Amino acid sequence: MAKAIMIQGTMSGAGKSLLAAGLCRIFTEDGFRTAPFKSQNMALNSYITEDGLEMGRAQVVQAEAAMTKPSVYMNPILLKPTTDTGSQVIVNGEVIGNMSAREYFACKKKFVPDILNACRHLAEEYDILVIEGAGSPAEINLKENDIVNMGLAEMLDVPVLLAGDIDRGGVFAQLYGTVALLEQKERERIKGLIINKFRGDKSILDPGIAMLKERTKIPVVGTVPMLSVDIEEEDSISERLERGGSKAGPKGAQKAAIEIAVVRFPKISNYTDFAPLESVEGVEVRYVSAPRDLGHPDLILLPGSKNTMGDLKWMRTSGMEASIFKCLKKGTMIFGICGGYQMMGESLADPEGTEEGGTMRGMGLLPVETVFYKQKTRTRIQGKLEALSGMYKKLSGAAYEGYEIHMGRTMLTGEAQVLAKKEEEILGVCRGQAAGTYIHGIFDSSETADGLLQMLAEKKGLDGAALKGIDFREYKEKQYQALAKGLRESLDMEAIYRMLREVKC
């Protein structure tokens, strides 16, 4: 059986996912077959495995760091929020239905066999498991029947590293307060503390570290600096949604050649589709949630949504849709993926109550209609875009590889160019300035990213030769290497190796 270690945090956003990814890469570099594991993940960013099952993207990132294929065993339970109080519940990669928070809390213990089975499969195949918790183990209102933090650590009998976020302030209070709120047997399970996201001279922390060790009886095994790495973060708490991914330089630097605005829906999902564009020098990507912030971009991107009809209503009531139409009149182009593509059509119908029920008018930018059904489409796809003319000509024949993950089917109702298709099924269309598709990951291909950026540059009368899409896989590999290097330099890896314990599942 594999050995394991668990990363828990003092709060959401403490850096658990990134630390887990870094440890996955370190153990892999050291010659161990390594896999990530998170029993329950709440996220709107998801991924489709080779066998057509759905899992959270955080564990996909960690699997990439571990240089292994993503498997639904790495994330047996995925919760995708549909409202402020309810989620779609996915177990072993399959949708089992929508539940309110209260309903899920009442029945989640019945999923323990699924969690242990997933862990067992991984433990038989890998040498080391890096297990990630969720939120904080000190959320005492949620401790009953816990299956993701200390409850899971006890089930699997694994040691815990507890990470605190110094960038938010009060890291000593975070770490001490978390430990103090735990039961004695839980405190004993924590074998090391980590101060994460530090900026400055580490020596100024020494008095606090000494006092923390004295009061908790737990050693601090590392002070991790704010690492300059570009790795996908966890869902809506991501700083990426606040700062965008501009590589145009700091404020006051030369203006970006291309400006792209991504509409930040309340239920935005899979915004990582745009990470390849954020990584190109001279391209500024902004995430906007208010009409006043839209400005006059060269391209507007409509991302995926876990509640397409609800987010389209939000666009109307907030004034975002009206602002988008003003931009279109001035020549801005618009591209939608998945939910964004569905919104751009003429109508949306939900006869089975999959989302909000009823029908509603779409944006009318593309001649398509969408009907929602309870059955979810989940499949990986690859191919080449169709031969195109007009504004999207630069995308003609570009290779792509990605996946579909959506409720509903979209039918062509009028004249438009087919952007992509799978056998006889249309996966996207374009007309005039507008284009949309169901292909998540379409811009991971440098061919599609290059084509899009060249198109935007030429439209502005610019030389787009410098705006070249990157080899995104190679780019991510360099980020994982930099992450591992940064953690090796700041963590006591000898101590962490001594902590590893055989997982019991």
Side-chain angles (χ1 to χ4, degrees):
M1 297 293 284
K3 292 188 175 181
I5 196 160
M6 186 173 193
I7 311 293
Q8 295 185 20
T10 56
M11 65 179 78
S12 294
K16 297 183 294 291
S17 295
L18 203 65
L19 290 170
L23 287 177
C24 280
R25 174 49 63 99
I26 288 172
F27 293 142
T28 300
E29 289 177 346
D30 290 350
F32 297 98
R33 297 171 302 165
T34 307
F37 181 72
K38 187 168 185 174
S39 59
Q40 172 194 289
N41 199 350
M42 177 175 281
L44 286 175
N45 278 350
S46 60
Y47 175 89
I48 300 301
T49 64
E50 289 183 354
D51 46 1
L53 299 173
E54 188 173 0
M55 63 182 290
R57 282 196 69 93
Q59 280 61 63
V60 174
V61 169
Q62 292 160 3
E64 288 179 349
M67 304 177 76
T68 191
K69 286 185 179 181
S71 162
V72 75
Y73 290 131
M74 298 171 182
N75 176 214
I77 301 175
L78 175 62
L79 306 177
K80 300 185 76 171
T82 53
T83 67
D84 290 341
T85 59
S87 296
Q88 183 182 74
V89 180
I90 298 165
V91 179
N92 296 321
E94 303 273 6
V95 176
I96 66 168
N98 290 348
M99 294 186 189
S100 68
R102 185 177 296 276
E103 289 171 333
Y104 177 73
F105 189 79
C107 73
K108 65 180 180 177
K109 285 289 281 188
K110 75 176 185 180
F111 301 127
V112 167
D114 297 288
I115 292 170
L116 296 180
N117 180 63
C119 180
R120 190 176 302 113
H121 273 85
L122 296 178
E124 291 172 352
E125 184 178 352
Y126 293 93
D127 301 316
I128 297 177
L129 304 185
V130 180
I131 304 170
E132 181 186 347
S136 164
E139 292 169 349
I140 52 180
N141 57 311
L142 300 176
K143 283 185 65 173
E144 184 182 0
N145 299 328
D146 172 54
I147 60 172
V148 68
N149 285 311
M150 284 300 178
L152 179 66
E154 184 174 354
M155 277 188 272
L156 302 181
D157 191 24
V158 294
V160 172
L161 293 172
L162 179 66
D165 179 1
I166 195 171
D167 194 50
R168 296 190 188 185
V171 71
F172 295 114
Q174 291 175 37
L175 291 166
Y176 176 75
T178 299
V179 172
L181 284 171
L182 297 177
E183 298 174 18
Q184 182 60 35
K185 65 177 181 179
E186 295 171 330
R187 294 188 200 117
E188 292 172 356
R189 196 167 289 282
I190 300 177
K191 302 303 180 183
L193 305 176
I194 296 174
I195 295 174
N196 199 20
K197 305 182 187 179
F198 180 70
R199 308 173 196 258
D201 183 351
K202 289 194 295 184
S203 65
I204 65 174
L205 297 177
D206 289 346
I209 289 174
M211 183 179 292
L212 187 64
K213 181 178 179 180
E214 178 186 348
R215 297 200 175 189
T216 64
K217 312 303 180 187
I218 303 170
V220 174
V221 295
T223 299
V224 179
M226 184 70 80
L227 297 172
S228 181
V229 292
D230 184 12
I231 293 174
E232 289 180 22
E233 299 158 287
E234 188 80 86
D235 220 36
S236 59
I237 62 172
S238 172
E239 293 180 6
R240 186 184 300 272
L241 295 178
E242 300 295 339
R243 58 174 169 76
S246 173
K247 297 294 179 181
K251 289 182 179 179
Q254 185 176 357
K255 190 177 186 301
I258 300 297
E259 184 183 347
I260 298 174
V262 182
V263 177
R264 182 179 176 178
F265 301 134
K267 289 295 181 286
I268 186 173
S269 67
N270 290 76
Y271 60 85
T272 47
D273 286 334
F274 311 124
L277 302 177
E278 297 176 14
S279 304
V280 179
E281 294 287 343
V283 176
E284 180 185 14
V285 179
R286 297 182 291 109
Y287 289 83
V288 298
S289 54
R292 64 179 179 274
D293 298 327
L294 189 60
H296 302 288
D298 302 298
L299 174 68
I300 294 171
L301 293 171
L302 300 183
S305 166
K306 193 62 193 73
N307 189 334
T308 303
M309 297 175 80
D311 281 346
L312 180 53
K313 289 178 182 177
W314 168 82
M315 285 225 294
R316 291 198 169 126
T317 58
S318 68
M320 183 66 78
E321 183 183 44
S323 295
I324 289 173
F325 283 132
K326 288 179 183 178
C327 289
L328 295 178
K329 287 181 179 179
K330 295 179 181 180
T332 296
M333 302 188 76
I334 185 168
F335 197 109
I337 295 181
C338 199
Y341 168 43
Q342 294 170 337
M343 293 179 195
M344 292 170 67
E346 294 172 341
S347 68
L348 301 96
D350 185 17
E352 298 180 0
T354 301
E355 288 198 349
E356 300 197 350
T359 61
M360 66 183 301
R361 170 179 55 85
M363 298 176 73
L365 298 173
L366 295 172
V368 296
E369 295 178 346
T370 297
V371 179
F372 293 103
Y373 300 102
K374 291 189 180 296
Q375 184 175 1
K376 178 180 283 191
T377 297
R378 306 185 315 260
T379 183
R380 296 200 63 79
I381 46 177
Q382 61 180 352
K384 291 187 175 183
L385 300 182
E386 300 296 305
L388 303 169
S389 60
M391 290 189 173
Y392 286 91
K393 183 178 180 179
K394 288 282 184 181
L395 294 180
S396 291
Y400 67 84
E401 181 177 354
Y403 54 95
E404 289 182 78
I405 176 171
H406 56 89
M407 314 292 282
R409 295 181 63 86
T410 299
M411 290 73 69
L412 188 64
T413 58
E415 291 188 11
Q417 294 187 78
V418 174
L419 182 71
K421 63 182 180 180
K422 179 179 62 180
E423 297 176 349
E424 297 304 312
E425 180 185 356
I426 293 174
L427 297 178
V429 300
C430 57
R431 183 177 69 180
Q433 297 161 249
T437 182
Y438 273 125
I439 305 169
H440 287 292
I442 188 171
F443 298 124
D444 284 13
S445 160
S446 59
E447 289 186 38
T448 55
D450 280 352
L452 183 74
L453 296 175
Q454 296 294 317
M455 173 185 73
L456 294 172
E458 288 187 7
K459 187 172 179 292
K460 293 183 73 173
L462 301 174
D463 179 6
L467 298 174
K468 297 287 289 182
I470 61 174
D471 183 327
F472 199 54
R473 290 181 181 177
E474 181 181 326
Y475 176 80
K476 289 195 291 185
E477 176 63 19
K478 290 179 179 177
Q479 303 306 307
Y480 294 135
Q481 291 171 357
L483 174 61
K485 181 176 183 293
L487 291 190
R488 281 189 189 275
E489 292 172 351
S490 54
L491 294 178
D492 185 346
M493 288 306 303
E494 288 187 9
I496 290 174
Y497 268 112
R498 290 195 298 270
M499 294 174 193
L500 290 173
R501 185 183 303 167
E502 187 172 288
V503 66
K504 295 180 181 178
C505 52

